[in-house]
Amino acid sequence: MKYKLGDFVRFVDEKMEGFVTRIIDDQMIGVTGEDDFEIPVLASKVTTVHGYEPAGTAKSNTAVDEPAITGEFQTKGVYIAVVSDPKANSVVHFYLINDTSFQLLTILTTEKQNHFKGEYIGIIAPKSSTKIYSAQLADLQLWPKFNFSLLFYTTQNVEPPVPLVFTEKFKAKDFSGDKKQVPILNQPGWLTQLDEPDVLIDAQKLKESFFKTPKEKAAVEKPGAEIDLHIEKLRNDYQFLSSIEILDVQLAHFHKTLDAAIVHQLPEIIFIHGAGNGTLRHEIHKILSKHKKIQTFMDARKEKFGYGATKVILK
C-alpha cells in the first residue's frame, strides 16, 4: 500500500479530493472530503496531490551537524505526542519529540497478534520532531503495541544516557485527559514523556505529611443537590469505553458522591441516571437498599425526570 493515513489524494475519474482516513486492505482505502463523509475507493482510482505536509513532519535519516549549544546541555525531554490531523480530524499522527540536545537514533516497531512490523527508523536532530506513525482514533482498540528503541548521540563532552526501550499499548484512558501544548510542534496534543526525570524524595516533607492535623488534610468536597451520572458528563473519552467500563465509571462516581453527601450530612440528594436499559438504575437501587445510612429512596419528580432519576433520603 503506497498511501498512508493523512495523505492528500485526488480521485482519477471524478472531481473530488480528500484525505486518506482509513486503510481498509491492500486494495481499498477510505477518503474523507470536505463534507466529512468517508468514501471507500480503490487505491488505484486516486492519485497523490503533492504539496500538503502537516507541520512538524521534517525528518532526517542521516546524522546531522549539531547546532552550537548555547546555555545548558539538555539531557531530558523525549516525548511521544499524539496530534489530530488539521485537515482530517478522525486521523491522529504520532510524533517523536526530541527536546534534548542529543541526536536520537529512533526505531519504532509495532506488534499485533505476534506479527511485527518496522514502522520507522531515523535520526532525529536536537530540538526537533518527526512524524513516525498515523492511525484512526476511532480504531483505538485495534491499535498495535508500540515498541520504541532510542540511542542518544552527541559530539559534545557529555555522557549519553543508557539506550531507551519503551513499550506501550495505548488505551482510552491515555486520551481522557486534557490536551497539552506539545514542545517543538507548538500544537495541542496528548503527551507522554519517555525519559521521565528521576524522582527526588524529600525525606523531611515525607515525614511531615504523616503528622498533618485533620484541618490540614484535604476536605471532602460538598456535592450538589442533583448529580448527573450520564457518562458524557463524567468522561471526555466515553466513546472509546465499553459498556462495562462506562458502568464502572458511573458507579464509582455514585459511590464517591454518596459518601460525600453522608459526610456533609445532607438530608437528601438526587442521582440522575437516565432511563436507558435500566442497568445503572438497578445497580444504584441495589446498593441503596443495603446501605445503613439510607433512610429510603424513590423515583425523583417524574414530571421532570420520568424514571431517569432517584431521590435518596439520608438518615
Side-chain angles (χ1 to χ4, degrees):
M1 174 59 66
K2 69 175 182 178
Y3 296 109
K4 305 185 297 297
L5 290 175
D7 283 352
F8 190 45
V9 298
R10 181 172 293 140
F11 287 67
V12 174
D13 300 326
E14 300 179 58
K15 292 183 178 180
M16 295 177 59
E17 57 189 21
F19 294 87
V20 177
T21 52
R22 189 179 301 275
I23 306 297
I24 298 173
D25 55 34
D26 290 339
Q27 304 295 326
M28 297 285 292
I29 60 176
V31 178
T32 299
E34 293 181 352
D35 56 4
D36 285 335
F37 284 100
E38 186 178 80
I39 301 173
V41 61
L42 285 169
S44 60
K45 295 296 183 180
V46 298
T47 182
T48 302
V49 178
H50 298 284
Y52 169 74
E53 194 72 29
T57 56
K59 60 178 72 175
S60 172
N61 289 321
T62 57
V64 297
D65 293 333
E66 294 185 43
I69 303 298
T70 57
E72 184 179 358
F73 191 100
Q74 298 295 321
T75 61
K76 297 286 187 180
V78 181
Y79 304 88
I80 292 296
V82 182
V83 178
S84 298
D85 189 289
K87 299 294 184 180
N89 291 330
S90 62
V91 174
V92 291
H93 301 293
F94 291 71
Y95 290 87
L96 198 294
I97 309 295
N98 180 14
D99 202 19
T100 76
S101 301
F102 290 106
Q103 295 186 59
L104 293 181
L105 172 59
T106 304
I107 299 173
L108 169 61
T109 303
T110 56
E111 174 189 352
K112 188 174 183 180
Q113 297 178 345
N114 292 323
H115 177 74
F116 295 85
K117 181 182 178 183
E119 301 285 356
Y120 175 84
I121 183 170
I123 295 175
I124 303 176
K127 302 295 180 179
S128 68
S129 64
T130 298
K131 185 174 73 173
I132 57 176
Y133 191 80
S134 300
Q136 275 269 355
L137 186 57
D139 293 340
L140 174 62
Q141 295 183 349
L142 302 178
W143 287 2
K145 181 188 294 184
F146 294 82
N147 301 303
F148 298 92
S149 300
L150 298 98
L151 291 173
F152 297 81
Y153 172 82
T154 180
T155 59
Q156 307 294 319
N157 183 23
V158 177
E159 181 180 3
V162 297
L164 182 60
V165 177
F166 180 82
T167 299
E168 181 69 17
K169 180 70 172 76
F170 288 97
K171 303 178 180 63
K173 65 180 180 64
D174 297 316
F175 302 94
S176 61
D178 294 333
K179 293 182 179 180
K180 300 177 180 179
Q181 194 71 4
V182 177
I184 310 299
L185 285 179
N186 294 320
Q187 298 179 41
W190 292 282
L191 206 59
T192 300
Q193 185 167 0
L194 304 188
D195 60 340
E196 290 285 357
D198 297 329
V199 178
L200 298 178
I201 299 177
D202 189 320
Q204 182 59 32
K205 288 185 177 180
L206 183 62
K207 179 180 178 181
E208 290 173 356
S209 69
F210 288 119
F211 297 98
K212 284 186 177 180
T213 64
K215 289 183 179 180
E216 294 177 300
K217 294 183 179 178
V220 177
E221 184 178 353
K222 184 178 180 179
E226 297 180 359
I227 305 300
D228 195 338
L229 296 176
H230 285 91
I231 189 61
E232 60 268 23
K233 301 292 185 181
L234 306 179
R235 292 277 291 266
N236 293 327
D237 63 335
Y238 63 90
Q239 64 268 41
F240 304 121
L241 303 180
S242 67
S243 56
I244 294 177
E245 290 172 327
I246 288 174
L247 182 61
D248 287 342
V249 171
Q250 292 171 314
L251 288 177
H253 191 69
F254 164 74
H255 279 292
K256 177 182 176 181
T257 310
L258 180 60
D259 290 344
I262 293 170
V263 168
H264 287 277
Q265 299 181 332
L266 299 186
E268 61 185 47
I269 187 170
I270 292 175
F271 291 97
I272 305 170
H273 44 66
N277 59 14
T279 301
L280 178 58
R281 178 178 183 269
H282 173 73
E283 291 297 324
I284 288 174
H285 286 193
K286 185 167 66 174
I287 294 168
L288 293 173
S289 66
K290 300 177 182 179
H291 204 296
K292 295 180 180 180
K293 295 292 184 178
I294 304 304
Q295 181 174 323
T296 187
F297 59 92
M298 64 202 74
D299 291 322
R301 295 174 57 189
K302 293 182 181 178
E303 69 278 8
K304 179 178 180 180
F305 302 109
Y307 291 97
T310 296
K311 182 178 181 179
V312 181
I313 308 298
L314 303 174
K315 290 183 178 179

